Amino acid sequence: MAKAKKWNCVENCGACCKLEPGERQEAIAVLTNEERILYMSMVGDDGWCKHFDKVSRKCKIYSQRPSFCKVDKMSSMFDVPDEMLDIFAISCCKQQIRFIYGGRSKVMKNFCKKICFKY
């Protein structure tokens, strides 16, 4: 039987970098006013983060990214118990990948191969 792994960011994804406010209302709602202003300043005309390189599918400011871009901060932002953070993060990633790239996309298959299941 497959077991859930610990959450980890998967290369060549970037689904979380689609910041379109109309599509991320739940996430924006938990931000402070200061964080909302920063978030909105990061949204490009196409709805993607201005710091996301769409060719390499990598964040150009990864080591300096805001706290709301860090999965380990999700527990406090969404009131998720620490012991449930991996399950919550995996679920969020799968939902966002499905929305952005599709449930049968290469990105989803790669994510599930590396994160969702332990063989």
Side-chain angles (χ1 to χ4, degrees):
M1 182 132 215
K3 293 184 179 180
K5 279 188 173 182
K6 289 186 69 63
W7 178 89
N8 194 13
C9 192
V10 177
E11 286 190 35
N12 298 314
C13 177
C16 60
C17 298
K18 180 73 185 260
L19 302 180
E20 178 63 47
E23 298 167 2
R24 304 296 294 269
Q25 292 176 5
E26 188 175 293
I28 293 169
V30 300
L31 300 177
T32 66
N33 192 48
E34 190 175 283
E35 289 171 326
R36 276 189 207 106
I37 292 168
L38 176 58
Y39 182 100
M40 296 306 289
S41 75
M42 293 170 59
V43 181
D45 292 338
D46 59 359
W48 285 87
C49 179
K50 292 177 181 178
H51 304 291
F52 180 64
D53 183 330
K54 292 180 208 129
V55 175
S56 69
R57 288 194 181 175
K58 292 184 178 183
C59 176
K60 294 184 261 182
I61 63 163
Y62 191 81
S63 62
Q64 295 90 30
R65 69 197 186 281
S67 63
F68 56 77
C69 293
K70 298 176 181 177
V71 169
D72 62 341
K73 302 298 182 192
M74 290 173 73
S75 59
S76 59
M77 288 173 60
F78 292 101
D79 199 26
V80 176
D82 288 340
E83 64 273 9
M84 297 298 293
L85 183 57
D86 287 319
I87 293 167
F88 182 75
I90 289 168
S91 176
C92 288
C93 285
K94 285 176 70 176
Q95 180 181 358
Q96 189 69 4
I97 291 168
R98 186 176 293 113
F99 180 72
I100 301 298
Y101 300 115
R104 296 177 183 239
S105 65
K106 286 183 180 182
V107 175
M108 180 66 85
K109 288 176 184 173
N110 184 46
F111 181 80
C112 285
K113 181 179 178 186
K114 294 183 177 181
I115 302 301
C116 301
F117 304 106
K118 194 176 203 172
Y119 297 100

